[in-house]
Amino acid sequence: MTLSQIDEEVAKLLQLKAQLGGDEGKHVFVLKTAKGTRDYNPKQMAIREKVFNIIISCFKRHGAETIDTPVFELKETLTGKYGEDSKLIYDLKDQGGELLSLRYDLTVPFARYLAMNKITNIKRYHIAKVYRRDNPAMTRGRYREFYQCDFDIAGQYDAMIPDAECLKIVYEILNELDLGDFHIKVNDRRILDGMFAVCGVPDEKFRTICSTVDKLDKMAWEDVKKEMVNEKGLSEDVADRIGEYVSMQGGQDLAERLLQDPKLSQNKQACAGLTDMKLLFSYLELFQVTDKTSSEKVRTTETQVLVASAQKNLLEERLKLTSELWNAGVKAEVLYKKNPKLLSQLQHCEETGIPLVAILGEQELKDGVVKLRNVASREEVRLISDQNH
Amino acid sequence: MTLSQIDEEVAKLLQLKAQLGGDEGKHVFVLKTAKGTRDYNPKQMAIREKVFNIIISCFKRHGAETIDTPVFELKETLTGKYGEDSKLIYDLKDQGGELLSLRYDLTVPFARYLAMNKITNIKRYHIAKVYRRDNPAMTRGRYREFYQCDFDIAGQYDAMIPDAECLKIVYEILNELDLGDFHIKVNDRRILDGMFAVCGVPDEKFRTICSTVDKLDKMAWEDVKKEMVNEKGLSEDVADRIGEYVSMQGGQDLAERLLQDPKLSQNKQACAGLTDMKLLFSYLELFQVTDKVVFDLSLARGLDYYTGVIYEAILSQTIPAPAEQNGADEAGVSVGSVAGGGRYDGLVGMFDPKGRKVPCVGVSIGIERIFSIMEQKAETSSEKVRTTETQVLVASAQKNLLEERLKLTSELWNAGVKAEVLYKKNPKLLSQLQHCEETGIPLVAILGEQELKDGVVKLRNVASREEVDVPRADLS
C-alpha cells in the first residue's frame, strides 16, 4: 500500500468510527431476527440439550458415527433434487464466486458425502439445521430455520435387519423422551404399488393416487375417495377396492393373510413386499423395549454451589475458595460484588436453582470451617475447610 | 386445484421422474463442497466432540448458560459493525423478502440478543459456525465456514472480577486440552492510548498506530518502527519512545512501576488502566493463574470495540501447519494464538434504541486451531481415534443363530449397553472379529450352540483374546 492509499483508508475508517461513535440517532437498530427464525434462550437450550443427549446416546448405543456438512452447498448439488419444493431453497447472492444455496435437508448432503468419499457402508446420524423459505400464508407458524435429526444406514446387507434396527431406535427414543403413548405405522412401497395394480389403478397414476391415500391421516375416507374419483379420475369401483385394502391394519398376521389374498398374491411386487414385512415383524419381535420415565426441573446452568459471605470484606476468601472448587472440578459460582448481602446471594441460588451455598464468615474462618447450606431445606453443616467436596 | 392443473403437475412430475430415473448421464452430480468449506468425517467429529466436552464443562463449572441465534441476520443488523471487513460478509440473494446476511461473528448477534430481550446481566457461552468470504489469495488455508467459541459476561459489576474469571477460564481450558505450554498476554486499551498520548502520537493516529503495534507478534521491532515512521508518518523520536514502552513485560510489579513513571502517571486514562491492571493481578493471584499471565505492553489486538482489558493466549509449541484459522479476531493474531478477548463496554449500547450501556467482557477460543492441533496429534500418535462408542459386538460362532444374536443385542440395548450386531444372517466369526478390530470395539459376546445349551455367553476381550463364560442373566 502507498502512503496516500493508507491515508485514504485511515480517513475512511475514522469517518466510519465517528459515525458509529457519535451519530447514534441516525442508526436505527432493527431488533429483530429474520422472518421465520428465532433465538434459543437458555431455558430452551437446556431443554434442547436434554433432548439431544437422549437421542444421541441412543444413536451411540447402536454404534452410529456422526458427520457434519457445510451449511451451504453448491447450487448445482441441490438443483433437481426437490421437485416442486425447489422454489423454497434459500440462494446466496452472486458475489462473484460459486453459486451457493443453503441446505434444504440432510439427505442430499449425505448422498453427496457418500459419493465424494466413495463410501459403501456407514451407519451415521446427523443433527443440524436446515433452511426452507416457506410461504407464510400457506404454512403459518412454521420456521424457516429448523433442526433435522437424521439417522441412516447405508450399505448392502441381509434383508430387513437394518430396517428393523431403525424402528427399534425410534421406539427407544420415543420411550426415553417420555412423550406419552405412541405407535409406529409401517407399510411398503412395493405393497402399495402392488395393491394399486390389483385394484385397477393405471400405472401412470400410481404416484398421484399415492399422495391422495397419504391424506388419510388428515382426511376421512369419504373425502379421500372423493378426491380420487373427482380430481384424479379413478372409477368408483377402483376407489372402493382401494378402500377395502387401506382400512386394514395388523401385525405379522396381516402380512400372512394378504399373502393368501387371491389377487395380491398374483402380484410379484406385493409378494416381495409382504414377505419382507413378515421378516421385519419377526425381527421386531426379537427386539423388545421397556419403558422409562424421568422428570427434572429445567435449569439453564449446572452450578452445584455458590460461594457466599455473611459479612463484609471477605471477597478474597470467597475468590480463593471458588478457585479451589473449580480446580477440583466442582461447578461453582461467586457473585461479582466485593460486599454482597447474604440475602441477595441466597436469592441468586433460588432463582437459578443452585442447590448448595458455601457460606464464609469470620467465626468460621477462625475455626477453619465452611458452612454448607442446602438452599431448599435450609439444613446446614459445618465442614472442615479442606473437605469441601 | 382444478383437474387440468393437477394433470399438468402430474405430467411435470412424471417428466422429472423420467429424467432422474432414466437419464443419469445428463445429471452430473458435482462432488465438491463449496470453496472454503469442508465436511467433518467421523474421526474429526470424535475429536471435535472431545474438545467441545472439555470446553463446555469448563463453562458450566463457572455457571454459564448458553444461547443460540439464527445462522443469518437481517442485513441491517450486521451493517456498520465490522468496518473494512464488511466486504467479507456473505449476503443472501434478494428473493423478494427481507435482505439477509450470514453471521460474521457471535458478538454482534449477542449484542442484538441482549438489546432485544432487554437483558442487563448474563454469563453466556455460544459455540457455533460463522461465515467470512475470505479472499483465498490473502489467507490461503483459511476456511470460510468455521467454528467460534465465545464466552462473555455482560453486566455492571465490581471492577475486574469478571475480567479475572474470563482469564481463569482460558487457563483451565488450555490446561485441560493438554496442548503443551502456553502464556496469556494482557494489556489494556486505556494504557495503550495513554502510552500513545505521552509518546506524542497525534490523537487521530491512535487506532492506526495501534494496528501497527499489533504486528509486533509477527514482525521485528525494526520493521514495525519502519512502518510507523515511513507509512504512518510518526517522527522517529515518537516511534522510539513507543519502542521503549512496548518492550516491557511483567506482572503486578510492572503495573506498579508504570504508575510511578513520570510521564504515564500524568495521563488519566493510563492511570485508570494501570490501577485496574494491579487489581486484576491481585484477583489472578487468588485464582492461582499468575504463573502463565504476563502484562505485555506490546499487545494491541485488532478490533475497535475493546474499551478496557485485552488479552491473548499463545501456545509455546508451534506445530508446522498451514495458516490456521483461529476463532479469535482476525486482525494481527500471531501464529500460536489460541484465544483472545477483552472488555467492550460500548457495543451493546449501539443496539439499544435508548443507548443503554451494558458493559461486557469476554473471550473467543480459537477452536479451529485447536481441532487442527488435535487432529495432527491423533495422526502421529499410535492411539486410534474411535468414531463409535460401542462396547460389545454380539457375534455367533455357527450358522442359524441370528435370532439369538438379535435377542441378546436387544437385551443389551435395553440395559443401556452400547452394542452392535452384524446385519448378516450367517456371518463368519472371523469377519465379526475383524469388524471389532477395525472399529475398536473392545469386547465380543460369542454365542454358540453349546453355550446356549449351558445358558452362558462367551465374552472375549478382542485385544488380549482372553475369554470368560458369563451366565446369560449376568451379561448386561
Side-chain angles (χ1 to χ4, degrees):
Chain A
M1 259 187 150
T2 70
L3 202 54
S4 56
Q5 272 172 320
I6 293 173
D7 281 356
E8 212 172 292
E9 286 307 317
V10 168
K12 269 196 239 165
L13 284 171
L14 288 173
Q15 205 176 31
L16 179 64
K17 180 184 174 184
Q19 266 182 321
L20 292 174
D23 210 1
E24 265 134 26
K26 279 212 179 147
H27 283 266
V28 179
F29 292 106
V30 184
L31 294 181
K32 289 175 70 244
T33 50
K35 181 185 346 221
T37 70
R38 54 163 172 153
D39 298 319
Y40 284 80
N41 65 38
K43 266 205 172 62
Q44 293 168 315
M45 291 299 281
I47 291 171
R48 186 170 109 178
E49 185 179 335
K50 193 173 147 203
V51 173
F52 280 169
N53 282 344
I54 287 173
I55 291 175
I56 291 174
S57 62
C58 179
F59 291 154
K60 286 182 167 180
R61 193 158 60 242
H62 287 255
E65 323 178 283
T66 185
I67 65 169
D68 198 9
T69 64
V71 81
F72 46 68
E73 297 273 344
L74 296 176
K75 191 173 161 66
E76 27 184 336
T77 301
L78 303 186
T79 304
K81 307 296 181 309
Y82 303 106
E84 285 255 306
D85 286 343
S86 297
K87 62 183 191 286
L88 298 182
I89 295 176
Y90 275 100
D91 290 327
L92 267 69
K93 182 173 167 183
D94 184 349
Q95 287 169 291
E98 304 161 316
L99 289 184
L100 308 168
S101 301
L102 296 184
R103 64 185 169 213
Y104 187 83
D105 66 7
L106 300 178
T107 306
V108 168
F110 178 45
R112 176 198 49 72
Y113 175 83
L114 293 181
M116 217 166 119
N117 296 282
K118 299 186 175 19
I119 291 170
T120 55
N121 293 70
I122 188 172
K123 189 195 267 182
R124 84 96 184 74
Y125 67 91
H126 188 186
I127 303 178
K129 291 182 191 163
V130 300
Y131 300 86
R132 301 184 184 182
R133 288 182 66 247
D134 267 326
N135 182 341
M138 277 168 45
T139 52
R140 198 160 36 98
R142 275 213 206 182
Y143 287 111
R144 292 177 159 191
E145 173 191 64
F146 60 95
Y147 265 105
Q148 279 204 329
C149 173
D150 284 11
F151 173 87
D152 295 86
I153 300 170
Q156 183 67 47
Y157 300 111
D158 288 352
M160 302 319 275
I161 313 178
D163 310 53
E165 188 168 11
C166 284
L167 288 168
K168 170 72 171 169
I169 283 171
V170 174
Y171 200 123
E172 283 178 15
I173 288 175
L174 295 182
N175 261 325
E176 281 183 65
L177 287 173
D178 205 25
L179 302 163
D181 205 19
F182 65 90
H183 61 278
I184 304 173
K185 296 183 188 178
V186 295
N187 199 352
D188 192 301
R189 223 347 117 66
R190 298 163 290 174
I191 298 173
L192 271 167
D193 284 355
M195 180 180 86
F196 290 151
V198 307
C199 290
V201 176
D203 276 12
E204 68 279 7
K205 292 198 198 237
F206 272 21
R207 293 284 67 86
T208 182
I209 292 301
C210 207
S211 62
T212 301
V213 166
D214 198 33
K215 299 184 185 183
L216 273 170
D217 58 1
K218 291 193 284 265
M219 280 159 50
W221 168 247
E222 294 71 37
D223 296 318
V224 169
K225 176 177 170 181
K226 227 182 268 184
E227 180 174 312
M228 282 202 246
V229 173
N230 297 345
E231 297 181 35
K232 310 232 164 165
L234 287 190
S235 78
E236 274 217 47
D237 284 343
V238 172
D240 283 334
R241 273 175 244 155
I242 294 176
E244 279 179 43
Y245 282 117
V246 300
S247 57
M248 295 186 187
Q249 288 185 5
Q252 198 165 357
D253 57 303
L254 176 58
E256 297 265 17
R257 250 189 305 144
L258 289 172
L259 273 168
Q260 310 299 321
D261 179 292
K263 284 187 280 176
L264 264 185
S265 52
Q266 301 301 311
N267 181 287
K268 231 169 123 185
Q269 267 202 307
C271 283
L274 287 165
T275 307
D276 275 349
M277 188 61 70
K278 276 181 62 183
L279 188 56
L280 177 68
F281 269 91
S282 72
Y283 293 149
L284 293 179
E285 259 197 66
L286 297 167
F287 287 163
Q288 355 81 310
V289 287
T290 50
D291 281 351
K292 285 191 201 162
T293 55
S294 67
S295 68
E296 277 168 45
K297 176 178 144 100
V298 180
R299 287 186 59 188
T300 62
T301 67
E302 300 183 7
T303 307
Q304 299 162 294
V305 59
L306 179 80
V307 177
S309 45
Q311 293 114 14
K312 289 188 166 196
N313 298 321
L314 289 174
L315 175 63
E316 250 195 56
E317 298 299 326
R318 272 163 48 221
L319 294 183
K320 254 202 286 195
L321 177 56
T322 310
S323 188
E324 282 168 36
L325 291 173
W326 287 333
N327 290 347
V330 175
K331 299 177 187 136
E333 277 184 61
V334 64
L335 291 202
Y336 299 134
K337 240 176 138 43
K338 283 183 285 206
N339 297 309
K341 294 197 171 16
L342 184 57
L343 190 62
S344 9
Q345 294 171 94
L346 293 172
Q347 259 172 350
H348 177 71
C349 290
E350 276 162 39
E351 281 161 19
T352 59
I354 302 173
L356 298 169
V357 55
I359 310 178
L360 295 164
E362 302 202 349
Q363 189 54 50
E364 288 81 3
L365 285 166
K366 287 207 193 88
D367 301 339
V369 297
V370 174
K371 241 208 284 255
L372 192 63
R373 181 196 291 197
N374 179 310
V375 174
S377 71
R378 304 188 64 112
E379 281 175 53
E380 282 185 0
V381 285
R382 281 159 67 92
L383 293 178
I384 311 223
S385 273
D386 58 7
Q387 292 182 352
N388 247 304
H389 34 286
Chain B
M1 256 190 151
T2 70
L3 203 54
S4 56
Q5 272 173 320
I6 292 172
D7 282 355
E8 213 172 292
E9 286 305 318
V10 168
K12 267 196 242 164
L13 283 171
L14 289 172
Q15 205 175 28
L16 179 63
K17 179 186 174 181
Q19 268 183 318
L20 291 174
D23 211 2
E24 265 134 29
K26 277 210 182 147
H27 281 265
V28 180
F29 212 168
V30 183
L31 295 181
K32 280 175 78 247
T33 49
K35 180 187 345 221
T37 70
R38 53 160 172 159
D39 297 319
Y40 284 80
N41 64 38
K43 267 201 171 63
Q44 293 168 316
M45 291 299 282
I47 291 172
R48 187 171 109 175
E49 187 180 332
K50 195 171 145 209
V51 172
F52 281 166
N53 282 345
I54 288 173
I55 291 176
I56 292 174
S57 61
C58 178
F59 291 153
K60 287 180 167 183
R61 193 161 58 243
H62 287 256
E65 322 177 284
T66 185
I67 66 169
D68 199 9
T69 64
V71 82
F72 45 68
E73 298 273 345
L74 297 176
K75 191 172 160 67
E76 26 184 335
T77 300
L78 304 186
T79 304
K81 307 295 182 305
Y82 301 105
E84 284 256 306
D85 287 343
S86 297
K87 62 183 189 291
L88 300 182
I89 296 177
Y90 276 100
D91 290 326
L92 268 70
K93 181 174 169 184
D94 183 350
Q95 287 169 291
E98 303 160 318
L99 289 184
L100 307 168
S101 300
L102 297 184
R103 65 184 170 214
Y104 185 84
D105 67 5
L106 300 178
T107 306
V108 168
F110 179 48
R112 176 198 49 71
Y113 176 85
L114 293 182
M116 212 165 123
N117 297 282
K118 297 185 175 20
I119 291 169
T120 55
N121 295 69
I122 188 172
K123 189 194 263 184
R124 82 96 184 72
Y125 67 92
H126 188 186
I127 301 179
K129 290 182 191 163
V130 300
Y131 301 86
R132 300 183 184 181
R133 289 181 66 246
D134 266 327
N135 182 340
M138 277 169 41
T139 51
R140 196 162 35 97
R142 274 215 203 183
Y143 289 112
R144 292 179 157 188
E145 172 190 65
F146 60 95
Y147 266 103
Q148 277 205 329
C149 173
D150 284 11
F151 173 88
D152 294 85
I153 301 169
Q156 184 67 48
Y157 298 112
D158 288 350
M160 301 319 274
I161 313 180
D163 311 53
E165 187 168 14
C166 284
L167 289 167
K168 171 73 171 170
I169 282 170
V170 174
Y171 187 104
E172 284 180 10
I173 287 175
L174 294 183
N175 260 328
E176 279 182 65
L177 286 173
D178 206 24
L179 301 163
D181 204 20
F182 65 90
H183 61 280
I184 307 173
K185 297 186 187 175
V186 296
N187 197 354
D188 191 300
R189 228 340 122 64
R190 297 164 290 173
I191 297 173
L192 270 168
D193 286 353
M195 178 180 87
F196 291 150
V198 306
C199 290
V201 177
D203 277 11
E204 69 279 8
K205 293 198 197 238
F206 271 22
R207 293 283 68 86
T208 183
I209 292 300
C210 207
S211 62
T212 302
V213 167
D214 197 31
K215 298 183 185 180
L216 271 170
D217 55 8
K218 290 196 288 267
M219 282 159 48
W221 167 247
E222 294 71 39
D223 297 317
V224 170
K225 175 180 169 177
K226 227 182 268 185
E227 181 175 309
M228 282 202 242
V229 172
N230 297 345
E231 298 181 35
K232 311 235 166 161
L234 285 192
S235 78
E236 274 214 46
D237 284 343
V238 173
D240 283 334
R241 273 175 244 153
I242 295 176
E244 279 181 43
Y245 282 117
V246 299
S247 58
M248 295 187 188
Q249 289 182 1
Q252 199 166 355
D253 57 303
L254 176 57
E256 298 264 14
R257 248 190 304 142
L258 290 172
L259 274 168
Q260 310 298 320
D261 179 292
K263 284 186 281 177
L264 264 185
S265 53
Q266 301 301 312
N267 181 287
K268 234 172 119 180
Q269 267 202 308
C271 282
L274 288 165
T275 307
D276 276 348
M277 188 60 69
K278 278 181 61 184
L279 188 56
L280 177 69
F281 267 89
S282 71
Y283 293 146
L284 294 179
E285 259 199 67
L286 294 169
F287 283 160
Q288 304 159 291
V289 295
T290 47
D291 59 319
K292 303 231 202 254
V293 182
V294 179
F295 173 21
D296 187 325
L297 280 171
S298 72
L299 177 68
R301 293 198 60 68
L303 281 182
D304 236 22
Y305 52 56
Y306 291 122
T307 55
V309 71
I310 53 179
Y311 37 82
E312 189 171 318
I314 295 148
L315 294 180
S316 302
Q317 58 161 326
T318 43
I319 298 178
E324 293 305 340
Q325 190 98 53
N326 58 65
D329 310 305
E330 45 294 314
V333 184
S334 61
V335 174
S337 169
V338 283
R343 175 162 285 284
Y344 53 104
D345 287 346
L347 185 64
V348 179
M350 284 170 57
F351 281 89
D352 187 286
K354 298 208 178 125
R356 269 179 295 227
K357 253 181 62 160
V358 176
C360 295
V361 64
V363 64
S364 193
I365 309 282
I367 203 139
E368 292 286 346
R369 174 113 227 274
I370 292 171
F371 287 159
S372 223
I373 293 173
M374 308 279 285
E375 277 173 47
Q376 288 195 316
K377 262 172 94 172
E379 253 171 73
T380 55
S381 97
S382 49
E383 238 185 272
K384 213 172 119 83
V385 174
R386 286 194 63 187
T387 59
T388 64
E389 299 183 8
T390 308
Q391 298 161 296
V392 59
L393 178 79
V394 176
S396 45
Q398 294 113 15
K399 288 190 166 193
N400 299 320
L401 289 174
L402 175 64
E403 251 196 54
E404 299 298 329
R405 274 164 44 222
L406 294 183
K407 252 202 287 193
L408 177 56
T409 310
S410 186
E411 282 167 34
L412 291 174
W413 287 331
N414 291 346
V417 176
K418 297 177 191 140
E420 275 183 62
V421 65
L422 291 201
Y423 300 133
K424 237 172 140 45
K425 284 182 287 208
N426 298 307
K428 294 196 170 21
L429 184 57
L430 191 61
S431 11
Q432 293 171 94
L433 293 172
Q434 260 172 348
H435 177 72
C436 290
E437 276 162 37
E438 281 161 20
T439 59
I441 302 173
L443 298 170
V444 55
I446 309 176
L447 293 166
E449 300 201 348
Q450 190 54 50
E451 288 82 2
L452 284 166
K453 288 206 191 89
D454 301 337
V456 297
V457 174
K458 231 202 280 268
L459 194 59
R460 181 195 292 194
N461 180 310
V462 173
S464 72
R465 305 188 63 115
E466 280 175 52
E467 283 182 358
V468 285
D469 279 348
V470 180
R472 178 67 178 254
D474 298 346
L475 192 60
S476 7

